[in-house]
């Protein structure tokens, strides 16, 4: 069967192997899934060169997915340390791994990541451009920016963040509407600086059709980056953010015309009461394309605990339309995360995603909780550990404080309500 992308296949009525795999995982009729892909409401990031991939769907009616950010930087450039994080992220069931490398042997790390990862792999080409060409930002040409994107596509990257919405018009809106924290997106700031230094249009916007041709060739999903995402709750839902979102909606339709799959990236920092309206705005302005959010972080005053501020916002966002959560670690705003930071970020995001899936009525989401509740009623500790989102931590806590009676814990002992209700209902005497 002849098709170029998952969207192209879906529109031709073709069910691909990736669609069948996702449908099985999601307990969804494959014909329903195919139709959602054809409409752009679900994506399956699946580069033709990523041979170790286990297909994952993102979008309407599917389980909320989580992404993990990794990669080498100038100050922390150990490829082996980042590969250890990759292996751990896979063990912890991350759905996607995004390589944000911006220094050193980025190609080596990217290729090793794609080679072993069953999870979808994402990148941000503009991060890599400065190191790849070993040139000053101002000297990089439009063609060279596109060349990095093509190199990533050849290497098997499944989705790429492209900040095409920060064009001259959006930049003008930003200048007219000053912000407390300006532009906090690394890619957005680089492209804004490039435009200012060269007095030129954003190359990813100016040559968007050429970029789409590359993505179509390899079936790379375009993740339209939010260069103007708010970096503080003060800047949320402002003119710059909404201006860029309008542009992203227009770029979404242009990508779909070429059968390129699209995700939309969103905030950022945002007060609780603004999250639901923002989900509605994105889905409306971007025509139902899957929404990929960083957080949102619901307060700015908790450095060291931003995995929590992010999980609070992520649960609300996903329950109200977001499809994909980018994890945030306790080290956010402070340093490159360690292995333990990464784990805490993944677990917090998975909790948020699962809580949202219960609210959305995703098939079998509640069953997991019901099974855990049954194990608790039966005081079946081993079953509880098996069902725990983090079995390792649950077992460790239990082992650290042993009760006098094995069917209780050291919080309540013989006064355990579950134990005593079981005895009463069985006709035995409690305590």
């Amino acid at each position: 069967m002849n098709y170029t992308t998952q969207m192209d296949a879906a529109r031709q009525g073709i069910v691909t192997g990736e669609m069948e795999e996702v449908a099985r995982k999601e307990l969804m009729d494959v014909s329903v899934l195919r139709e959602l892909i054809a409409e752009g409401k679900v994506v399956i990031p699946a580069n033709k060169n990523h041979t170790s991939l286990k297909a994952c769907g993102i979008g309407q009616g599917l389980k909320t997915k989580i992404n993990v950010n990794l990669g080498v930087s100038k100050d922390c450039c150990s490829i082996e340390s980042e590969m250890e994080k990759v292996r751990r992220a896979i063990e912890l069931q991350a759905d996607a791994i995004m390589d944000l490398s911006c220094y050193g042997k980025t190609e080596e790390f990217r290729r090793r990541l794609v080679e072993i990862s069953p999870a979808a792999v994402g990148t941000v080409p503009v991060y890599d451009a400065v190191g790849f060409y070993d040139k000053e930002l101002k000297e990089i040409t439009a063609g060279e920016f596109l060349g990095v994107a093509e190199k990533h596509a050849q290497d098997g990257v499944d989705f790429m963040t492209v900040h095409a919405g920060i064009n001259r018009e959006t930049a003008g809106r930003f200048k007219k509407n000053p912000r407390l924290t300006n532009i906090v997106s690394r890619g957005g700031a680089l492209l804004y600086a490039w435009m200012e230094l060269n007095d030129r249009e954003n190359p990813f916007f100016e040559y968007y059709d050429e970029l789409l041709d590359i993505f179509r060739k390899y079936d790379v999903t375009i993740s339209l980056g939010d260069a103007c995402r708010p970096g503080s709750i003060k800047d949320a839902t402002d003119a710059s953010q909404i201006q860029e979102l309008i542009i992203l909606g227009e770029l979404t339709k242009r990508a779909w015309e070429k059968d390129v799959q699209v995700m939309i990236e969103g905030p950022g920092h945002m007060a609780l009461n603004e999250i639901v309206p923002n989900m509605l705005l994105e889905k409306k302005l971007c025509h139902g394309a899957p929404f990929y959010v960083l957080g949102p972080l619901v307060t700015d005053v908790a450095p060291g605990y931003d995995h929590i501020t992010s999980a609070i916002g992520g649960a609300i966002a996903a329950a109200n339309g977001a499809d994909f959560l980018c994890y945030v670690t306790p080290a956010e705003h402070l340093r490159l995360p360690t292995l333990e930071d990464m784990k805490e970020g993944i677990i917090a995001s998975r909790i948020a995603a699962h809580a949202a899936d219960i609210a959305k009525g995703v098939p079998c989401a509640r069953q997991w909780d019901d099974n855990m509740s049954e194990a608790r009623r039966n005081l079946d500790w081993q079953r509880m550990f098996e069902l725990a989102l983090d079995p390792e931590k649950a077992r460790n806590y239990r082992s650290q404080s042993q009760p006098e009676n094995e069917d209780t814990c050291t919080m309540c002992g013989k006064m355990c309500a579950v134990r005593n209700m079981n005895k009463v209902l069985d006709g035995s005497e409690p305590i």
Side-chain angles (χ1 to χ4, degrees), residues 31 36 72 95 121 146 163 200 236 388:
S31 63
L36 289 169
V72 293
D95 300 296
V121 172
L146 265 64
H163 300 89
R200 290 273 309 277

Side-chain angles (χ1 to χ4, degrees), residues 294-307:
L294 177 68
L297 285 71
V298 295
T299 178
D300 300 328
V301 299
Y305 298 92
D306 277 328
H307 59 312

Side-chain angles (χ1 to χ4, degrees), residues 19 36 43 132 164-165 354 385 389:
M19 292 179 202
L36 289 169
V43 299
F132 184 79
H354 179 64
F385 299 150
L389 195 143

Side-chain angles (χ1 to χ4, degrees), residues 312-325:
I312 293 168
I316 295 169
N320 289 278
D323 307 287
F324 194 22
L325 304 181

Side-chain angles (χ1 to χ4, degrees), residues 176-407:
K176 291 176 184 176
N177 296 271
R179 286 177 145 191
L180 179 61
T181 50
N182 296 315
I183 292 175
V184 299
S185 158
R186 191 194 318 177
L190 287 170
L191 286 166
Y192 180 88
W194 188 92
M195 287 191 289
E196 291 291 296
L197 290 168
N198 290 285
D199 193 26
R200 290 273 309 277
E201 180 58 275
N202 176 351
F204 290 117
F205 181 80
E206 185 174 359
Y207 299 101
Y208 188 63
D209 286 328
E210 289 84 345
L211 181 71
L212 293 177
D213 290 338
I214 295 169
F215 282 22
R216 177 184 170 90
K217 180 179 178 181
Y218 297 93
D219 196 3
V220 175
T221 298
I222 190 166
S223 187
L224 287 168
D226 51 338
C228 295
R229 70 171 181 265
S232 62
I233 60 172
K234 172 75 171 177
D235 294 335
T237 326
D238 71 347
S240 298
Q241 181 194 331
I242 301 306
Q243 169 70 38
E244 183 180 34
L245 190 60
I246 292 169
I247 300 296
L248 297 187
E250 294 169 352
L251 293 174
T252 295
K253 290 197 289 187
R254 285 174 60 185
W256 285 346
E257 287 170 4
K258 294 200 172 195
D259 297 319
V260 173
Q261 301 183 97
V262 179
M263 294 188 290
I264 307 296
E265 296 187 14
H269 295 236
M270 183 165 287
L272 281 170
N273 60 302
E274 293 185 64
I275 295 174
V276 175
N278 266 265
M279 299 307 105
L280 178 62
L281 269 175
E282 185 281 334
K283 288 291 183 176
K284 194 81 171 178
L285 292 176
C286 296
H287 322 292
F291 199 17
Y292 172 26
V293 295
L294 177 68
L297 285 71
V298 295
T299 178
D300 300 328
V301 299
Y305 298 92
D306 277 328
H307 59 312
I308 296 173
T309 66
S310 168
I312 293 168
I316 295 169
N320 289 278
D323 307 287
F324 194 22
L325 304 181
C326 185
Y327 92 149
V328 173
T329 77
E332 184 78 7
H333 304 110
L334 302 171
R335 59 167 166 77
L336 194 76
T338 64
L339 201 61
E340 185 58 31
D341 294 332
M342 186 194 73
K343 178 184 176 181
E344 289 193 43
I346 290 173
I347 296 299
S349 289
R350 287 190 59 205
I351 291 169
H354 179 64
D357 288 347
I358 293 170
K360 288 191 286 192
V362 171
C364 291
R366 279 183 178 269
Q367 189 60 51
W368 186 4
D369 293 73
D370 291 346
N371 291 343
M372 176 63 86
S373 296
E374 182 180 32
R376 285 178 171 153
R377 182 196 67 202
N378 295 334
L379 297 169
D380 186 343
W381 299 98
Q382 292 308 314
R383 179 63 173 154
M384 288 184 232
F385 299 150
E386 290 169 6
L387 290 165
L389 195 143
D390 183 1
E392 181 182 9
K393 188 167 189 175
R395 286 193 175 93
N396 187 40
Y397 270 45
R398 174 74 176 170
S399 67
Q400 288 176 352
S401 185
Q402 292 294 325
E404 180 182 354
N405 297 284
E406 289 189 7
D407 60 348

